Amino acid sequence: MVKAFFDTEFTGLHKDTTLISIGVMYETGHMFYAELTDYDKSQVDQWLQENVINSLTLGDMEENTYKFGGDMKVKYVRGTKDFVAKELNFWHEYLFHDEQLEMWSDCLSYDWVLYNDLYGHAFSIPENIYYIPFDICTMFRLKGVDPDISREAFADGFINTEGTGIDPNAVNKHNALWDAIVIKACYDKLNVMEVAE
């Protein structure tokens, strides 16, 4: 089973939220990053504009297109929800064939619902996606670390941005690929820590 660490950015903490972007960092070092063009722009407030929309990086790409970076280790996609879902599925099939993917997020309540919504329904997610997701918030608690800790500060020394095109010295929070990279780094550090008594 291959671990896939993912993050989503979306139009608010409410039941009608829509997906803005998704980033996935795989334990193999491969990555996927997509920005959606059909999110509900009427839900974007000033905070989302300043912190999420302004962190998007694929505005120069045409709609419903993709490109590769980092010697084919990163797939960048810009388009509608349906196009992004199709390209993410192609990427998974290309990289992992019949291997199952174990999905990890930060606080996955919204992330997992939006991931399922990419495919229209939980029963429609690709068969190679393990249906039970996991999160690092629970790992933080089990390891005796305050789950509200700064992810970047905690993962310092474990963050690897090689081949991503992301400057690790810039403020990248709320870019879904950066957050996925940080989630993996937190997992890697937590994984070598002892369980709290």
Side-chain angles (χ1 to χ4, degrees), residues 130-149:
Y130 187 54
Y131 74 100
I132 299 173
F134 301 92
D135 67 87
I136 62 168
C137 282
T138 303
M139 280 187 80
F140 276 124
R141 177 73 66 179
L142 292 173
K143 299 286 183 148
V145 178
D146 180 1
D148 199 34
I149 193 170

PDB file of all heavy atoms in Angstrom, residues 130-149:
ATOM      1  N   TYR A 130      -7.985   3.270  -0.896  1.00  0.00           N
ATOM      2  CA  TYR A 130      -8.500   2.629   0.307  1.00  0.00           C
ATOM      3  C   TYR A 130      -9.592   3.509   0.896  1.00  0.00           C
ATOM      4  O   TYR A 130      -9.413   4.718   1.037  1.00  0.00           O
ATOM      5  CB  TYR A 130      -7.366   2.409   1.307  1.00  0.00           C
ATOM      6  CG  TYR A 130      -7.742   1.607   2.521  1.00  0.00           C
ATOM      7  CD1 TYR A 130      -8.331   0.351   2.395  1.00  0.00           C
ATOM      8  CD2 TYR A 130      -7.506   2.102   3.790  1.00  0.00           C
ATOM      9  CE1 TYR A 130      -8.675  -0.394   3.513  1.00  0.00           C
ATOM     10  CE2 TYR A 130      -7.835   1.362   4.915  1.00  0.00           C
ATOM     11  CZ  TYR A 130      -8.421   0.115   4.775  1.00  0.00           C
ATOM     12  OH  TYR A 130      -8.764  -0.619   5.878  1.00  0.00           O
ATOM     13  N   TYR A 131     -10.731   2.921   1.217  1.00  0.00           N
ATOM     14  CA  TYR A 131     -11.919   3.704   1.572  1.00  0.00           C
ATOM     15  C   TYR A 131     -11.864   4.340   2.955  1.00  0.00           C
ATOM     16  O   TYR A 131     -12.695   5.175   3.285  1.00  0.00           O
ATOM     17  CB  TYR A 131     -13.176   2.836   1.442  1.00  0.00           C
ATOM     18  CG  TYR A 131     -13.350   1.811   2.542  1.00  0.00           C
ATOM     19  CD1 TYR A 131     -14.211   2.050   3.611  1.00  0.00           C
ATOM     20  CD2 TYR A 131     -12.636   0.613   2.520  1.00  0.00           C
ATOM     21  CE1 TYR A 131     -14.367   1.119   4.630  1.00  0.00           C
ATOM     22  CE2 TYR A 131     -12.788  -0.314   3.523  1.00  0.00           C
ATOM     23  CZ  TYR A 131     -13.646  -0.067   4.575  1.00  0.00           C
ATOM     24  OH  TYR A 131     -13.784  -0.981   5.574  1.00  0.00           O
ATOM     25  N   ILE A 132     -10.892   3.974   3.781  1.00  0.00           N
ATOM     26  CA  ILE A 132     -10.760   4.588   5.111  1.00  0.00           C
ATOM     27  C   ILE A 132      -9.583   5.563   5.070  1.00  0.00           C
ATOM     28  O   ILE A 132      -8.444   5.158   4.853  1.00  0.00           O
ATOM     29  CB  ILE A 132     -10.524   3.535   6.207  1.00  0.00           C
ATOM     30  CG1 ILE A 132     -11.706   2.557   6.274  1.00  0.00           C
ATOM     31  CG2 ILE A 132     -10.296   4.211   7.560  1.00  0.00           C
ATOM     32  CD1 ILE A 132     -11.478   1.383   7.212  1.00  0.00           C
ATOM     33  N   PRO A 133      -9.838   6.862   5.268  1.00  0.00           N
ATOM     34  CA  PRO A 133      -8.746   7.843   5.288  1.00  0.00           C
ATOM     35  C   PRO A 133      -8.164   7.971   6.692  1.00  0.00           C
ATOM     36  O   PRO A 133      -8.779   7.566   7.683  1.00  0.00           O
ATOM     37  CB  PRO A 133      -9.454   9.137   4.879  1.00  0.00           C
ATOM     38  CG  PRO A 133     -10.831   8.977   5.460  1.00  0.00           C
ATOM     39  CD  PRO A 133     -11.157   7.502   5.360  1.00  0.00           C
ATOM     40  N   PHE A 134      -6.980   8.568   6.768  1.00  0.00           N
ATOM     41  CA  PHE A 134      -6.296   8.768   8.041  1.00  0.00           C
ATOM     42  C   PHE A 134      -5.845  10.215   8.142  1.00  0.00           C
ATOM     43  O   PHE A 134      -5.765  10.918   7.141  1.00  0.00           O
ATOM     44  CB  PHE A 134      -5.092   7.823   8.137  1.00  0.00           C
ATOM     45  CG  PHE A 134      -5.477   6.383   8.020  1.00  0.00           C
ATOM     46  CD1 PHE A 134      -5.471   5.749   6.783  1.00  0.00           C
ATOM     47  CD2 PHE A 134      -5.883   5.662   9.130  1.00  0.00           C
ATOM     48  CE1 PHE A 134      -5.854   4.420   6.658  1.00  0.00           C
ATOM     49  CE2 PHE A 134      -6.263   4.330   9.021  1.00  0.00           C
ATOM     50  CZ  PHE A 134      -6.246   3.711   7.779  1.00  0.00           C
ATOM     51  N   ASP A 135      -5.542  10.663   9.385  1.00  0.00           N
ATOM     52  CA  ASP A 135      -5.129  12.051   9.542  1.00  0.00           C
ATOM     53  C   ASP A 135      -4.014  12.197  10.573  1.00  0.00           C
ATOM     54  O   ASP A 135      -3.896  11.385  11.486  1.00  0.00           O
ATOM     55  CB  ASP A 135      -6.322  12.937   9.921  1.00  0.00           C
ATOM     56  CG  ASP A 135      -6.852  12.624  11.299  1.00  0.00           C
ATOM     57  OD1 ASP A 135      -6.337  13.189  12.274  1.00  0.00           O
ATOM     58  OD2 ASP A 135      -7.773  11.795  11.398  1.00  0.00           O
ATOM     59  N   ILE A 136      -3.217  13.236  10.369  1.00  0.00           N
ATOM     60  CA  ILE A 136      -2.102  13.468  11.281  1.00  0.00           C
ATOM     61  C   ILE A 136      -2.548  14.126  12.585  1.00  0.00           C
ATOM     62  O   ILE A 136      -1.813  14.056  13.575  1.00  0.00           O
ATOM     63  CB  ILE A 136      -0.960  14.278  10.624  1.00  0.00           C
ATOM     64  CG1 ILE A 136      -1.420  15.673  10.199  1.00  0.00           C
ATOM     65  CG2 ILE A 136      -0.351  13.500   9.464  1.00  0.00           C
ATOM     66  CD1 ILE A 136      -0.287  16.612   9.820  1.00  0.00           C
ATOM     67  N   CYS A 137      -3.730  14.737  12.630  1.00  0.00           N
ATOM     68  CA  CYS A 137      -4.216  15.305  13.892  1.00  0.00           C
ATOM     69  C   CYS A 137      -4.330  14.208  14.956  1.00  0.00           C
ATOM     70  O   CYS A 137      -3.955  14.411  16.109  1.00  0.00           O
ATOM     71  CB  CYS A 137      -5.567  15.983  13.702  1.00  0.00           C
ATOM     72  SG  CYS A 137      -5.442  17.595  12.957  1.00  0.00           S
ATOM     73  N   THR A 138      -4.852  13.059  14.563  1.00  0.00           N
ATOM     74  CA  THR A 138      -4.953  11.940  15.491  1.00  0.00           C
ATOM     75  C   THR A 138      -3.569  11.467  15.898  1.00  0.00           C
ATOM     76  O   THR A 138      -3.322  11.163  17.068  1.00  0.00           O
ATOM     77  CB  THR A 138      -5.753  10.786  14.856  1.00  0.00           C
ATOM     78  OG1 THR A 138      -7.048  11.281  14.480  1.00  0.00           O
ATOM     79  CG2 THR A 138      -5.913   9.627  15.815  1.00  0.00           C
ATOM     80  N   MET A 139      -2.637  11.411  14.939  1.00  0.00           N
ATOM     81  CA  MET A 139      -1.260  11.017  15.274  1.00  0.00           C
ATOM     82  C   MET A 139      -0.633  11.996  16.271  1.00  0.00           C
ATOM     83  O   MET A 139       0.052  11.571  17.201  1.00  0.00           O
ATOM     84  CB  MET A 139      -0.392  10.951  14.022  1.00  0.00           C
ATOM     85  CG  MET A 139      -0.550   9.688  13.217  1.00  0.00           C
ATOM     86  SD  MET A 139       0.665   9.606  11.874  1.00  0.00           S
ATOM     87  CE  MET A 139       2.132   9.037  12.744  1.00  0.00           C
ATOM     88  N   PHE A 140      -0.862  13.300  16.055  1.00  0.00           N
ATOM     89  CA  PHE A 140      -0.344  14.287  17.005  1.00  0.00           C
ATOM     90  C   PHE A 140      -0.828  13.962  18.416  1.00  0.00           C
ATOM     91  O   PHE A 140      -0.044  13.909  19.356  1.00  0.00           O
ATOM     92  CB  PHE A 140      -0.792  15.703  16.627  1.00  0.00           C
ATOM     93  CG  PHE A 140       0.052  16.381  15.595  1.00  0.00           C
ATOM     94  CD1 PHE A 140      -0.513  16.866  14.424  1.00  0.00           C
ATOM     95  CD2 PHE A 140       1.410  16.561  15.784  1.00  0.00           C
ATOM     96  CE1 PHE A 140       0.254  17.509  13.470  1.00  0.00           C
ATOM     97  CE2 PHE A 140       2.193  17.205  14.839  1.00  0.00           C
ATOM     98  CZ  PHE A 140       1.608  17.671  13.669  1.00  0.00           C
ATOM     99  N   ARG A 141      -2.120  13.739  18.555  1.00  0.00           N
ATOM    100  CA  ARG A 141      -2.717  13.454  19.862  1.00  0.00           C
ATOM    101  C   ARG A 141      -2.106  12.191  20.473  1.00  0.00           C
ATOM    102  O   ARG A 141      -1.734  12.166  21.644  1.00  0.00           O
ATOM    103  CB  ARG A 141      -4.233  13.321  19.717  1.00  0.00           C
ATOM    104  CG  ARG A 141      -4.975  12.951  20.970  1.00  0.00           C
ATOM    105  CD  ARG A 141      -5.068  14.059  21.969  1.00  0.00           C
ATOM    106  NE  ARG A 141      -5.877  15.137  21.450  1.00  0.00           N
ATOM    107  CZ  ARG A 141      -6.156  16.232  22.118  1.00  0.00           C
ATOM    108  NH1 ARG A 141      -5.717  16.383  23.350  1.00  0.00           N
ATOM    109  NH2 ARG A 141      -6.861  17.193  21.585  1.00  0.00           N
ATOM    110  N   LEU A 142      -1.981  11.137  19.671  1.00  0.00           N
ATOM    111  CA  LEU A 142      -1.442   9.872  20.171  1.00  0.00           C
ATOM    112  C   LEU A 142       0.020   9.979  20.581  1.00  0.00           C
ATOM    113  O   LEU A 142       0.468   9.264  21.473  1.00  0.00           O
ATOM    114  CB  LEU A 142      -1.592   8.774  19.114  1.00  0.00           C
ATOM    115  CG  LEU A 142      -3.019   8.332  18.809  1.00  0.00           C
ATOM    116  CD1 LEU A 142      -3.044   7.367  17.627  1.00  0.00           C
ATOM    117  CD2 LEU A 142      -3.653   7.683  20.037  1.00  0.00           C
ATOM    118  N   LYS A 143       0.753  10.874  19.926  1.00  0.00           N
ATOM    119  CA  LYS A 143       2.176  11.048  20.246  1.00  0.00           C
ATOM    120  C   LYS A 143       2.406  12.104  21.327  1.00  0.00           C
ATOM    121  O   LYS A 143       3.543  12.432  21.639  1.00  0.00           O
ATOM    122  CB  LYS A 143       2.952  11.420  18.980  1.00  0.00           C
ATOM    123  CG  LYS A 143       2.886  10.375  17.887  1.00  0.00           C
ATOM    124  CD  LYS A 143       3.726   9.154  18.188  1.00  0.00           C
ATOM    125  CE  LYS A 143       3.669   8.177  17.025  1.00  0.00           C
ATOM    126  NZ  LYS A 143       4.877   7.415  16.855  1.00  0.00           N
ATOM    127  N   GLY A 144       1.318  12.657  21.883  1.00  0.00           N
ATOM    128  CA  GLY A 144       1.447  13.624  22.959  1.00  0.00           C
ATOM    129  C   GLY A 144       1.820  15.017  22.498  1.00  0.00           C
ATOM    130  O   GLY A 144       2.362  15.812  23.269  1.00  0.00           O
ATOM    131  N   VAL A 145       1.523  15.342  21.241  1.00  0.00           N
ATOM    132  CA  VAL A 145       1.817  16.663  20.673  1.00  0.00           C
ATOM    133  C   VAL A 145       0.500  17.409  20.505  1.00  0.00           C
ATOM    134  O   VAL A 145      -0.490  16.841  20.038  1.00  0.00           O
ATOM    135  CB  VAL A 145       2.530  16.527  19.304  1.00  0.00           C
ATOM    136  CG1 VAL A 145       2.798  17.896  18.698  1.00  0.00           C
ATOM    137  CG2 VAL A 145       3.810  15.725  19.435  1.00  0.00           C
ATOM    138  N   ASP A 146       0.479  18.680  20.883  1.00  0.00           N
ATOM    139  CA  ASP A 146      -0.720  19.506  20.722  1.00  0.00           C
ATOM    140  C   ASP A 146      -1.107  19.543  19.236  1.00  0.00           C
ATOM    141  O   ASP A 146      -0.327  20.012  18.410  1.00  0.00           O
ATOM    142  CB  ASP A 146      -0.435  20.919  21.232  1.00  0.00           C
ATOM    143  CG  ASP A 146      -1.631  21.856  21.094  1.00  0.00           C
ATOM    144  OD1 ASP A 146      -2.703  21.425  20.618  1.00  0.00           O
ATOM    145  OD2 ASP A 146      -1.475  23.039  21.471  1.00  0.00           O
ATOM    146  N   PRO A 147      -2.293  19.051  18.854  1.00  0.00           N
ATOM    147  CA  PRO A 147      -2.694  19.044  17.440  1.00  0.00           C
ATOM    148  C   PRO A 147      -2.800  20.440  16.824  1.00  0.00           C
ATOM    149  O   PRO A 147      -2.869  20.553  15.602  1.00  0.00           O
ATOM    150  CB  PRO A 147      -4.064  18.349  17.452  1.00  0.00           C
ATOM    151  CG  PRO A 147      -4.096  17.573  18.708  1.00  0.00           C
ATOM    152  CD  PRO A 147      -3.278  18.363  19.695  1.00  0.00           C
ATOM    153  N   ASP A 148      -2.792  21.484  17.644  1.00  0.00           N
ATOM    154  CA  ASP A 148      -2.886  22.852  17.138  1.00  0.00           C
ATOM    155  C   ASP A 148      -1.517  23.457  16.847  1.00  0.00           C
ATOM    156  O   ASP A 148      -1.409  24.634  16.524  1.00  0.00           O
ATOM    157  CB  ASP A 148      -3.659  23.713  18.142  1.00  0.00           C
ATOM    158  CG  ASP A 148      -4.194  24.995  17.507  1.00  0.00           C
ATOM    159  OD1 ASP A 148      -4.551  24.962  16.313  1.00  0.00           O
ATOM    160  OD2 ASP A 148      -4.239  26.021  18.207  1.00  0.00           O
ATOM    161  N   ILE A 149      -0.465  22.654  16.909  1.00  0.00           N
ATOM    162  CA  ILE A 149       0.895  23.147  16.683  1.00  0.00           C
ATOM    163  C   ILE A 149       1.076  23.613  15.237  1.00  0.00           C
ATOM    164  O   ILE A 149       0.414  23.102  14.329  1.00  0.00           O
ATOM    165  CB  ILE A 149       1.927  22.037  17.023  1.00  0.00           C
ATOM    166  CG1 ILE A 149       3.341  22.606  17.114  1.00  0.00           C
ATOM    167  CG2 ILE A 149       1.848  20.890  16.019  1.00  0.00           C
ATOM    168  CD1 ILE A 149       4.350  21.621  17.679  1.00  0.00           C
TER     169      ILE A 149
END
